[in-house]
Each structure stands twice: as structure tokens, then as C-alpha cells.
Amino acid sequence: MSDIILFDYWRSSASYRVRIALNLKGVAYTSVPTDLLDASHKKPDYVARNPQGFVPMLSIDGHDLTQSLAIVDYLDANYPDPPMVSSDPAERARTLAQALVIAADIHPLNNLRVLGRLKSQFGADDVAVAEWYRHWIVEGFNALEAMAPETGLFGGVQPNLADVCLVPQMANARRFETPLEDFPKLVRIDAALREIEAFAKAAPEAVKPE
């Protein structure tokens, strides 16, 4: 058994990012399913290690690492091939900005706990929640489409952090039936990335517990 353990929920897009990065870097790990629907992430022993009670959490080198982009940053420092961000400061900043459109602006507003709050506090029904979800995807994708390259991936010929963030968010967009006709570059990049083995093996349908 690997001593690198990923506390993971199969449908979590943040967990999906980390699975992709681990696969790209060829880092073997053991997955511990942590079901958000049965509140496994809120059990006292888990919260003692991860005070936010979120997934993913990566146990590695004696550390319990949380927050997907922080985990990928740690992996990049210790498993630098392939790099997720450039060593060039301007290119690094550009990639981080692209990734954060998803990780900081779209995803938090569509997180399961936010959707639950819309229902419990404001009485939103499933139709309203789905409209909310799609609104924030479209708003973020409008900006990301403008940032996307005309050819190749966000990382050029090799996936980078923006690509790692894009594929899980595109999966969320399809799940909530978000119209994607206005985002041809994102659709093209996503399709190319999903053909890469590291991405395919990280997909929710590939890791869903039986």
C-alpha cells in the first residue's frame, strides 16, 4: 500500500484536480473514499486533521495537505515533472489567473454547501439552484474563453494548472446542462485533455466506488 493517501470524493471537482495532477506526475497513491453525502468529511477524526472538513486531503511525507491548488503546488515542488506552472514569473501569473477563474470564482459559488444554503435559508428549489449554478459557470467561462489559446492547450503542448482545473469544471457544466456553444476554445481544449490517460483515469466515472 502506498504511504501517499488521498481522502477523496469521486464527484468533487477539487478532488478531481488533485487526481489529475497525481496521475500526470506519476505519483502512486491510495484513495480513501470520503463521502460528502453521508458527512464522512465532518467526522471528528477527519476534522481533527482537516479543520475545514473538506475534500481533498492528501496525506504525504508526514503532512496532511488541504485545498486542491495548495496540494498541486506541493506536488509541483516535490515532483517537478511535468510542471504545472512556468518558472517565468509573467507566465506563472497568467496560468494562476486562468486557474483561479475556476478555483476561486466559479467553483466556490457552486459548492455543495452553498447550494444547500440556497435551499435551506432562501427556499430555492432545484430549478432555481440549477439556474444559479449555470449563471456562475457562464460568467467565468466568458472570461476564460477570452483567455484561452487559439490552438493547443492552456499549457501549450503539455497540460498545466489551468488545464487541470478546466476539465473538472467542464464536467460540472455538462452535469448541469450548461450551454457551451459560446465556448468553442474551452470545448476543444477539454476534449483534447480528456483523451490523455492521466485525465481519463481521474474522471469521476472512472473512480466512482462500486
Side-chain angles (χ1 to χ4, degrees), residues 19-173:
R19 294 194 302 264
I20 293 169
L22 287 164
N23 291 347
L24 283 170
K25 292 176 178 293
V27 178
Y29 67 95
T30 298
S31 177
V32 174
T34 308
D35 196 328
L36 302 186
L37 299 183
D38 69 8
S40 295
H41 59 305
K42 295 301 183 183
K43 292 181 179 178
D45 57 343
Y46 187 78
V47 174
R49 299 172 63 179
N50 179 355
Q52 280 191 297
F54 291 167
V55 292
M57 178 172 72
L58 187 69
S59 179
I60 184 171
D61 301 332
H63 308 294
D64 288 332
L65 305 179
T66 62
Q67 291 289 346
S68 62
L69 266 60
I71 292 171
V72 174
D73 183 67
Y74 181 90
L75 293 172
D76 229 20
N78 289 279
Y79 303 90
D81 185 31
M84 294 292 96
V85 294
S86 173
S87 59
D88 175 77
E91 187 61 33
R92 176 187 174 91
R94 187 175 300 111
T95 298
L96 286 170
Q98 293 163 345
L100 288 168
V101 169
I102 293 170
D105 295 331
I106 299 175
H107 176 238
L109 288 167
N110 287 346
N111 194 278
L112 185 62
R113 64 191 184 126
V114 173
L115 303 184
R117 193 71 172 179
L118 289 175
K119 293 180 178 181
S120 66
Q121 184 172 355
F122 301 105
D125 61 14
D126 289 342
V127 172
V129 167
E131 286 295 328
W132 166 279
Y133 201 105
R134 288 189 289 268
H135 171 83
W136 297 113
I137 290 177
V138 169
E139 183 166 290
F141 276 8
N142 280 330
L144 200 59
E145 177 74 12
M147 297 176 181
E150 294 295 336
T151 61
L153 310 174
F154 276 102
V157 298
Q158 184 171 271
N160 68 5
L161 182 62
D163 294 300
V164 167
C165 289
L166 175 66
V167 169
Q169 193 58 58
M170 288 291 283
N172 288 346

